[in-house]
Amino acid sequence: MKILHISAECYPIAKVGGLADVVGALPKYQNTQKTSSQVLMPFYENAFTKKNQFTTLYQSKVNLGNQSFPFEIKTLKNNKLGFDIFFVSIPELLSTDYVYSSDDADRFLTFQIAALDWILTLKKKPTIVHCHDHHVGLIPFMMTQSVKYNELKDIPTVLTIHNAQYQGWFSYEKLANIPKFDMVNAGLLDWDSQINPLAAAIKCAWRVTTVSPSYMEELKKEANGLESLLQHESDKCVGILNGIDTEVWNPETDHYIEKNYTISSVQSGKKANKNYLCKRFNLDNKKPLFVFIGRLVGEKGAELLPKAFDLLLRENKSSVLLLGSGNSDVEHELEILRDKHNGTYNTFIGYDEKLSHIMYAGADFLLMPSRVEPCGLNQMYALRYGTIPVVRSIGGLKDTVIDINENGFGILHKEVSISDMVYALKRGVELYQDTIKFKKTRNSIMNINHSWDTSAKTYINLYKSLNQ
Ligand code: ADP
């Protein structure tokens, strides 16, 4: 079976969030299970592509309406990723060091057309095309509807929804940019009088998956306008929990962290990483260290953080460190909190892969007060590094964290509210003070297996059901 994953992000090449982590790990694990799993993504001019070498496999031109752009298909030389990777290079549109921007409709539509133009030329076509999120959501539509891709219409397509908040909407003015199809079927592109690539993919893909079972159920009630569509298509929808790449996220071998450790050396290992963080960010290392790592947006409950931190820190029993960026008002509120809680609070506004690893390793607790959480990878990384999750009971968090009061190992709160969140944080402080219980919990979570093995197999079984 030859599976082609198509995505805007893939770790370690280009990462904005969890999408990259999934696309950088799932194919690798699938390849250990007798499949040939490959990735196709845009060629960005970023740190990774500048550092590595590539071979050109194919050259042509791609049309977007009346415009024509030269493009190349490249592959990585000395590839150690664990899967084959192909890039669509369109210098005029994709040679950026960012992944997303305001002209994404044109950038990603051209990428998708070039991708399909190239697939048409392949002698050995993929047996499954697996599309990730709305950026590549027009692929299942074009494969089944565009005259030019008629030869691809019997290849099964799978759409995975990593985040349904973003749907890639664009106006009908750009309709002519989509390769010619029978206008009778234009409704397949439509949702609420706009072209909606995510909706089109839900309608046209052979199967639709979400990144956790709970998120699938939640989307039928609240999906930024697509609820009724998901209810209608529910027979082809299934939630499959993400795994984590246990080679990248392993405290025993992680080259980013200050000191490596296993369960038997967790005490000293975490202490060294915590000390590093406390020294660098002027925090009290005697107190439990709570961290937040993520996008500062409403979905992550980011606007709760400044006030909740303030209330927690007033009691002078904790230290808090935040890494993230997003909403500028929230960033500002988080920054000014530094003066008020000098010595127990700090924030790093920005994106820093290395620092995030040290934070998973050095923290005592990881916070995720998310309003929406399709799967959430942070809590699974935290578990592996012996960091106790304090999370809202939603989506993938609900599927992966059990409250300590219910024979579990984490702290859950129900509401997206400052009071609920602060109550949960204080439960964390109490747990930290109960040294025996705290250490026992920390050791037990490091043993939880969230590797991709099981989910990779579930996806393969799903593909097999489509290829019969
Ligand atoms: P998202 O909704 O952002 O995709 P996930 O939990 O699925 O959330 O994945 C987030 C990923 O991005 C994790 O690997 C996390 O460590 C990483 N991440 C998020 N923000 C930052 C940041 N500011 N610096 C470094 N890594 C970050």
Side-chain angles (χ1 to χ4, degrees):
M1 196 173 351
K2 180 175 157 188
I3 301 136
L4 185 65
H5 291 272
I6 310 185
S7 169
E9 298 180 37
C10 176
Y11 180 84
I13 298 134
K15 170 169 168 177
V16 177
L19 170 62
D21 288 351
V22 172
V23 178
L26 175 59
K28 182 162 92 177
Y29 283 80
Q30 288 180 332
N31 282 341
T32 64
Q33 300 183 20
K34 296 196 191 118
T35 65
S36 156
S37 215
Q38 312 176 323
V39 172
L40 177 63
M41 69 179 295
F43 188 90
Y44 307 106
E45 294 275 348
N46 64 11
F48 183 94
T49 57
K50 281 181 191 142
K51 241 184 8 224
N52 286 279
Q53 292 188 316
F54 300 85
T55 317
T56 298
L57 301 176
Y58 179 76
Q59 287 179 313
S60 187
K61 283 192 171 169
V62 53
N63 294 328
L64 182 74
N66 296 329
Q67 297 167 276
S68 176
F69 302 96
F71 84 93
E72 289 184 352
I73 300 291
K74 296 177 190 278
T75 190
L76 179 63
K77 278 191 188 169
N78 305 318
N79 180 353
K80 297 193 181 80
L81 298 174
F83 50 88
D84 290 339
I85 182 140
F86 304 100
F87 300 86
V88 177
S89 166
I90 312 174
E92 285 173 61
L93 292 176
L94 296 172
S95 292
T96 53
D97 65 353
Y98 49 79
V99 175
Y100 305 118
S101 77
S102 55
D103 57 347
D104 282 353
D106 287 352
R107 292 169 75 228
F108 288 118
L109 178 54
T110 320
F111 163 68
Q112 293 172 88
I113 297 171
L116 292 180
D117 285 356
W118 174 62
I119 294 172
L120 265 187
T121 69
L122 296 177
K123 270 206 195 88
K124 191 165 184 274
K125 308 254 184 315
T127 33
I128 294 282
V129 171
H130 190 151
C131 301
H132 296 267
D133 269 351
H134 72 84
H135 325 101
V136 294
L138 292 172
I139 285 185
F141 173 84
M142 292 191 283
M143 283 174 65
T144 49
Q145 302 298 326
S146 289
V147 182
K148 134 185 207 203
Y149 302 125
N150 189 40
E151 206 188 315
L152 307 178
K153 72 173 190 317
D154 294 326
I155 300 177
T157 50
V158 176
L159 164 74
T160 293
I161 305 177
H162 298 254
N163 193 330
Q165 289 302 108
Y166 310 101
Q167 299 169 7
W169 316 263
F170 59 90
S171 90
Y172 274 97
E173 284 163 26
K174 292 181 187 283
L175 182 67
N177 289 345
I178 299 174
K180 194 166 159 261
F181 60 93
D182 185 345
M183 280 306 286
V184 170
N185 295 328
L188 290 169
L189 294 168
D190 185 89
W191 199 254
D192 273 344
S193 306
Q194 278 188 306
I195 296 180
N196 183 320
L198 189 67
I202 295 169
K203 294 179 201 178
C204 298
W206 292 33
R207 285 283 187 281
V208 176
T209 72
T210 54
V211 288
S212 71
S214 288
Y215 188 51
M216 185 87 253
E217 291 317 304
E218 287 160 14
L219 284 183
K220 290 178 192 159
K221 296 184 199 117
E222 170 67 69
N224 205 5
L226 299 182
E227 308 75 25
S228 61
L229 177 60
L230 284 155
Q231 287 161 21
H232 182 257
E233 299 285 359
S234 74
D235 283 354
K236 68 175 187 191
C237 295
V238 61
I240 301 175
L241 190 69
N242 280 341
I244 62 171
D245 188 333
T246 48
E247 285 175 10
V248 175
W249 298 94
N250 182 355
E252 196 177 348
T253 53
D254 188 333
H255 59 273
Y256 282 133
I257 66 180
E258 286 298 301
K259 183 171 178 190
N260 291 110
Y261 58 95
T262 59
I263 295 189
S264 56
S265 55
V266 58
Q267 175 78 8
S268 62
K270 284 189 76 71
K271 195 171 166 195
N273 286 288
K274 181 172 176 178
N275 284 345
Y276 167 87
L277 293 171
C278 290
K279 194 160 173 229
R280 174 168 165 192
F281 292 100
N282 183 30
L283 301 168
D284 184 346
N285 65 356
K286 302 273 176 321
K287 296 184 166 68
L289 176 60
F290 291 85
V291 301
F292 175 96
I293 300 165
R295 294 179 295 123
L296 299 174
V297 295
E299 278 181 283
K300 301 285 178 193
E303 79 292 350
L304 303 179
L305 296 171
K307 185 74 192 163
F309 288 162
D310 187 26
L311 290 173
L312 175 75
L313 291 163
R314 275 183 206 176
E315 300 201 339
N316 202 24
K317 290 180 185 162
S318 330
S319 287
V320 171
L321 178 62
L322 175 139
L323 166 64
S325 63
N327 179 302
S328 52
D329 291 340
V330 176
E331 287 182 359
H332 178 67
E333 277 183 70
L334 286 164
E335 289 201 298
I336 54 174
L337 207 59
R338 260 198 217 113
D339 295 335
K340 203 165 167 189
H341 298 289
N342 187 9
T344 52
Y345 168 81
N346 216 328
T347 180
F348 183 104
I349 300 296
Y351 188 94
D352 189 328
E353 190 73 25
K354 176 174 163 68
L355 176 58
S356 77
H357 283 241
I358 304 174
M359 286 170 72
Y360 290 114
D364 297 299
F365 297 94
L366 174 98
L367 310 181
M368 295 180 79
S370 305
R371 190 167 268 114
V372 180
E373 196 57 81
C375 176
L377 295 167
N378 302 21
Q379 80 281 12
M380 295 195 264
Y381 299 148
L383 294 171
R384 183 129 168 93
Y385 284 72
T387 300
I388 296 169
V390 180
V391 304
R392 177 161 176 254
S393 175
I394 187 83
L397 298 172
K398 203 160 126 187
D399 294 341
T400 51
V401 181
I402 304 170
D403 196 280
I404 197 153
N405 286 346
E406 286 164 23
N407 285 328
F409 46 82
I411 296 173
L412 288 170
H413 62 97
K414 269 216 154 60
E415 307 297 328
V416 187
S417 71
I418 289 168
S419 58
D420 241 34
M421 190 185 159
V422 172
Y423 181 67
L425 294 172
K426 288 186 181 171
R427 285 182 61 206
V429 176
E430 271 174 31
L431 175 61
Y432 186 79
Q433 287 162 350
D434 184 342
T435 320
I436 295 175
K437 192 169 178 187
F438 175 75
K439 286 186 179 164
K440 203 171 144 218
T441 309
R442 189 169 68 185
N443 286 9
S444 73
I445 58 180
M446 288 182 75
N447 272 327
I448 299 174
N449 182 1
H450 276 299
S451 148
W452 265 108
D453 291 324
T454 314
S455 301
K457 193 177 270 160
T458 311
Y459 275 110
I460 291 172
N461 288 339
L462 184 138
Y463 304 148
K464 281 185 182 156
S465 73
L466 300 177
N467 268 141
Q468 276 160 5

